[in-house]
Amino acid sequence: MSASTSTKAQAPSPAQHRELTGQVELAIGGMTCASCAARIEKKLNRMDGVEATVNYATEKAKVTYREDITVTDLIATVEATGYSAQEPQPTRTEPEPGSGPAAQEREELIPLRQRLTTAVVLAVPVIAMAMVPALQFQYWQWLSLTLAAPVVTYAAWPFHKAAWSNARHGAATMDTLISVGVSAAFLWSLWALFFGTAGMPGMTHPFELTIARSDGAGNIYLEAAAGVTAFILAGRFFEARSRRKAGAALKALLELGAKEVTVLRDGGEARIAVAALKVGDRFLVRPGEKIATDGTVVEGSSAVDASLLTGESVPVEVGAGDGVTGATLNAGGRLVVEATRVGADTQLARMAKLVEDAQNGKAAAQRLADKISAVFVPVVIALALGTLAFWLGNGAGLSAAFTAAVAVLIIACPCALGLATPTALMVGTGRGAQLGILIKGPEVLESTRKVDTIVLDKTGTVTTGRMTLLAVHTAEGAEESDVLRLAGALEHASEHPIAQAVAAGAADRVGTLPAPEDFAGVPGLGVQGIVDGHAVLVGREQLLAEWAMSLPAGLKRAKDAAGVAGRTAIAVAWDGEARAVLEVADAVKETSPEAIRRLRALGLTPILLTGDNRAVAEAVAAEVGIDPEHVIAEVLPQDKVDVVKRLQNEGGSVAMIGDGVNDAAALAQADLGLAMGTGTDAAIEAGDLTLVRGDLRVAADAIRLARKTLGTIRTNLFWAFVYNVAALPLAAAGLLNPMIAGAAMAFSSVFVIGNSLRLRRFRATDQ
């Protein structure tokens, strides 16, 4: 029932009438280009009381609507536009038989792959016979027809179907141009073979570059029909394969959480699925396990590694009464946690929602070819009809008039246009892969041209993302080797991440570490034990104070300086005396300062964004060359999205580089997202460009390559359209010799391919 005919007990007031209270996300089917999404969005927004955003990449429509409008009304509007729509199915804890990624691939990619394979296998010999006179044996034209027919009918069916759907709704896209051109070439070839002279024995296509009027009865265009279909299907296949991964960021986010949990019930332990947890349940988290859901610690103490979610490089010490977040890692002792939030209320689920909202809110890039074809296609069709009418009116005869009209359609067929984007993208992405850069699709390239601000996550992007022993300060009379051997041996027995950093650094510098005796951990303070006959303490200054020891003035200054620099200071004592202070921190990557200089050279303003405290952030910024006023610290994951939005609202075009789950939503929100390939799957899938190596310098090369690829695509599209426009007058005048047309089409295609191949010479800055 439509909104205008619905019946209610009481008519809504004007205020109620304006209020948009309902919200739904519809899965849209049948879209083939960005203009399809724009058309659906336009139709939905024309409904009174509806606001809609349609995303071609994710194939979803996010709709807010008035209370007297139903979802059925919205779906009916989409279907009336020529597409399908349905509410997304609720997430199931157990997959249905025949569902999952494999089933999705069968449904979406395999049919397209089959059509592409058919087109390529059959089109290659058709093109070869048409272009190489030596291959034109007697009756070769009939073999060409036999091979081309399945390509034009079966392989090109998606284009014909979309063109018919567009025509029913008064629209024209690339699909219309492809369908009309392919059909015109094929149907004219059929006429020439069966009713003209093209089917005669010994017919050949010689290369005679002359301008002369022809009746076209001896000309066939099967190679154009088959070749265009194969080329454009190839582009559609790679585009569909990329689009199918649109939701992978959300899946990667949700898969980070624990799958099962040990709950404490009736005095015992029971292993259940995390989905069965309820608020108030108490559950056990052993060392090395993920915390199942958001909650409060009721028993035990430990260090919790929350770097994936918060970006905080230093593990957080927690004890009774402290809050913990689901999907973080228990890196220390045994914890008993009481669940406070479950399901969609958890921080992890809210982050997944942020990623989804950012993806759906990002405007779908309209391809230049689709924009122009909306005007170009009707103009070409009108010109063809005008040509037919003109020559008929001038007494040229039906055959000559129809030849000229069909020539107009054939010369407008977008062979080079179909190659313009896929070839440049394939060469550019192939070269990028060699350099450790993965480009997701052509819409990404538009963003690289505009960005002027680049936001860098600190942990794992500018820094290594792991705790490292950076410095050793010794008291008078203490040897560094002794400090490292004794402290490293004791820390090696601890599971704490900071302890492991000390142990690893000590082992690298002094070699094999001795085994400690009487090892014991002191919750929240450090460790103690016997190493080589020495009673050793390693940990906070308070641990030494409990044994009536204090740091001498020199070590005290070193500890305070480490705190100012944002580093963790660890005191070391043995045999009743404080001997050293160790500095541990997330080390800056060696290549990061050079990377910042290269990004500045591209006209970008670098901004450091982190969940770490401000002292740590400013110390890192100073080391890599980022101005203090461009440091944004102590930012929660959900606030990272707000920071990106604020920079965008201030007029900036923002790029974002990150590697953690906490960066995924911000990467999706940014105008350009660059994900470090050494990071999490969630960040990689949310990003537009993936940097396979952990080297930040590759980010500058990625932006340069993307801009270069975009420039190549634009050049290709320009010359492809110029070729069409320049040849149309000749075709309309009836002077388009088939061989000139063939040579022109070949030259246009060769130019596009050659121009694209220049991207293979792209070099990284350090090559």
Side-chain angles (χ1 to χ4, degrees):
M1 183 182 295
S2 67
S4 60
T5 60
S6 61
T7 303
K8 292 184 179 292
Q10 184 177 356
S13 67
Q16 290 173 325
H17 209 67
R18 289 191 297 269
E19 189 175 359
L20 305 181
T21 57
Q23 186 168 322
V24 68
E25 189 175 73
L26 300 176
I28 306 296
M31 294 192 294
T32 59
C33 61
S35 58
C36 296
R39 192 175 312 119
I40 298 169
E41 186 173 302
K42 185 177 180 181
K43 289 287 187 180
L44 286 171
N45 284 321
R46 280 182 176 175
M47 296 176 67
D48 185 26
V50 172
E51 292 180 1
T53 301
V54 181
N55 191 306
Y56 170 57
T58 59
E59 297 181 317
K60 291 180 181 178
K62 187 176 181 181
V63 188
T64 306
Y65 55 93
R66 203 174 50 213
E67 62 179 7
D68 60 325
I69 296 174
T70 67
V71 175
T72 304
D73 296 331
L74 302 174
I75 292 175
T77 299
V78 175
E79 290 176 344
T81 313
Y83 305 89
S84 64
Q86 63 178 4
E87 291 186 76
Q89 298 300 311
T91 303
R92 295 172 58 95
T93 55
E94 294 296 332
E96 295 184 32
S99 65
Q104 186 179 8
E105 181 172 0
R106 283 195 299 273
E107 182 180 347
E108 296 181 13
L109 287 185
I110 290 181
L112 187 53
R113 185 188 289 116
Q114 290 172 342
R115 294 184 194 275
L116 173 60
T117 302
T118 300
V120 171
V121 170
L122 298 181
V124 168
V126 172
I127 296 170
M129 286 187 288
M131 295 300 174
V132 183
L135 299 178
Q136 294 172 6
F137 56 89
Q138 194 170 15
Y139 297 119
W140 68 274
Q141 66 271 40
W142 295 101
L143 176 60
S144 290
L145 175 62
T146 304
L147 296 175
V151 179
V152 174
T153 53
Y154 165 71
W157 175 246
F159 306 131
H160 302 320
K161 182 180 178 182
W164 172 245
S165 177
N166 290 331
R168 286 170 49 220
H169 297 89
T173 65
M174 272 286 288
D175 290 312
T176 307
L177 192 60
I178 295 164
S179 178
V180 169
V182 168
S183 299
F186 185 72
L187 292 174
W188 180 256
S189 299
L190 282 179
W191 183 89
L193 286 168
F194 285 98
F195 303 103
T197 60
M200 301 297 290
M203 189 278 284
T204 60
H205 271 177
F207 282 96
E208 296 176 356
L209 302 179
T210 58
I211 298 179
R213 191 164 295 150
S214 166
D215 66 2
N219 303 328
I220 61 174
Y221 301 92
L222 295 172
E223 75 283 359
V228 167
T229 301
F231 285 133
I232 297 180
L233 274 175
R236 290 286 171 88
F237 173 76
F238 293 116
E239 179 184 54
R241 189 170 61 175
S242 175
R243 254 199 353 261
R244 194 175 66 86
K245 299 179 179 178
L250 304 178
K251 295 174 187 174
L253 271 172
L254 295 174
E255 286 172 359
L256 283 172
K259 302 299 185 290
E260 292 185 331
V261 60
T262 303
V263 294
L264 304 178
R265 291 178 179 169
D266 302 325
E269 299 179 1
R271 195 76 173 166
I272 65 171
V274 169
L277 266 180
K278 298 178 181 178
V279 173
D281 281 346
R282 293 192 174 190
F283 58 91
L284 177 65
V285 188
R286 296 182 176 87
E289 289 185 343
K290 290 180 179 178
I291 296 173
T293 192
D294 298 359
T296 303
V297 177
V298 294
E299 182 183 322
S301 62
S302 180
V304 173
D305 182 357
S307 58
L308 280 178
L309 287 177
T310 67
E312 178 72 42
S313 57
V314 180
V316 179
E317 302 286 347
V318 297
D322 292 329
V324 290
T325 305
T328 55
L329 184 68
N330 179 14
R334 176 182 182 274
L335 295 175
V336 175
V337 180
E338 181 175 310
T340 56
R341 288 194 295 262
V342 297
D345 294 330
T346 65
Q347 183 174 341
L348 181 65
R350 290 200 301 269
M351 289 178 64
K353 182 62 176 172
L354 283 172
V355 174
E356 187 171 22
D357 289 344
Q359 286 184 337
N360 288 336
K362 186 185 290 185
Q366 288 232 355
R367 291 185 180 176
L368 182 59
D370 279 316
K371 289 180 179 178
I372 297 178
S373 66
V375 177
F376 184 66
V377 175
V379 168
V380 168
I381 294 174
L383 182 59
L385 293 174
T387 300
L388 177 65
F390 175 81
W391 288 113
L392 285 176
N394 281 273
L398 179 62
S399 178
F402 195 65
T403 297
V406 172
V408 169
L409 293 175
I410 291 173
I411 201 63
C413 195
C415 185
L417 194 60
L419 287 170
T421 295
T423 53
L425 192 61
M426 283 190 282
V427 177
T429 54
R431 181 58 183 148
Q434 294 175 337
L435 300 174
I437 303 163
L438 302 181
I439 303 173
K440 280 196 174 179
E443 60 278 352
V444 172
L445 307 177
E446 285 284 350
S447 303
T448 64
R449 180 179 59 87
K450 300 179 294 183
V451 293
D452 51 32
T453 302
I454 187 159
V455 177
L456 302 102
D457 170 60
K458 180 186 74 68
T459 306
T461 303
V462 177
T463 65
T464 61
R466 61 181 183 274
M467 303 303 290
T468 305
L469 177 61
L470 297 180
V472 180
H473 304 278
T474 59
E476 186 176 352
E479 296 293 332
E480 182 175 318
S481 58
D482 293 334
V483 171
L484 291 173
R485 189 179 73 258
L486 298 178
L490 201 59
E491 294 282 56
H492 185 66
S494 171
E495 297 174 334
H496 198 288
I498 292 179
Q500 290 298 304
V502 172
D508 287 342
R509 301 185 195 185
V510 301
T512 304
L513 302 173
E517 300 174 8
D518 296 333
F519 172 85
V522 183
L525 293 180
V527 293
Q528 60 189 41
I530 306 298
V531 181
D532 288 346
H534 300 284
V536 183
L537 299 174
V538 181
R540 298 179 184 270
E541 186 179 4
Q542 295 95 307
L543 178 63
L544 273 63
E546 290 190 359
W547 290 83
M549 286 181 276
S550 60
L551 294 175
L555 295 184
K556 182 70 173 175
R557 286 194 298 271
K559 172 184 173 295
D560 294 340
V564 171
R567 298 178 176 180
T568 299
I570 304 166
V572 181
W574 68 81
D575 296 342
E577 291 185 27
R579 310 280 183 162
V581 166
L582 311 178
E583 289 187 31
V584 174
D586 183 9
V588 171
K589 294 178 181 177
E590 294 181 0
T591 58
S592 290
E594 174 63 21
I596 299 301
R597 285 193 291 273
R598 293 184 185 181
L599 292 171
R600 287 187 188 278
L602 291 172
L604 305 177
T605 301
I607 294 177
L608 189 67
L609 180 66
T610 180
D612 251 338
N613 65 68
R614 187 157 195 90
V616 173
E618 290 186 344
V620 170
E623 192 170 345
V624 299
I626 295 177
D627 299 332
E629 60 268 24
H630 292 151
V631 174
I632 305 174
E634 300 175 11
V635 179
L636 296 174
Q638 56 268 34
D639 294 335
K640 288 191 175 185
V641 179
D642 294 335
V643 169
V644 173
K645 287 181 179 178
R646 175 171 58 80
L647 293 171
Q648 290 170 328
N649 292 336
E650 291 172 355
S653 184
V654 181
M656 167 83 183
I657 307 181
D659 76 324
V661 175
N662 61 304
D663 305 319
L667 287 170
Q669 174 64 38
D671 298 291
L672 177 68
L674 296 94
M676 303 294 282
T678 51
T680 65
D681 289 343
I684 291 171
E685 294 300 340
D688 300 310
L689 293 169
T690 299
L691 314 180
V692 176
R693 291 183 283 151
D695 189 342
L696 190 58
R697 291 177 301 180
V698 181
D701 291 329
I703 293 175
R704 286 178 49 241
L705 175 61
R707 288 177 176 177
K708 185 81 171 177
T709 305
L710 175 63
T712 301
I713 289 175
R714 287 172 173 253
T715 303
N716 289 349
L717 288 171
F718 172 78
W719 284 109
F721 277 116
V722 164
Y723 147 75
N724 284 129
V725 172
L728 279 173
L730 280 178
L735 299 174
L736 189 63
N737 180 283
M739 288 306 100
I740 292 181
M745 291 179 72
F747 172 77
S748 180
S749 299
V750 168
F751 173 83
V752 164
I753 294 172
N755 190 46
S756 300
L757 288 174
R758 293 190 307 118
L759 289 169
R760 296 171 62 183
R761 299 199 296 268
F762 179 87
R763 293 287 182 268
T765 307
D766 53 355
Q767 288 187 336

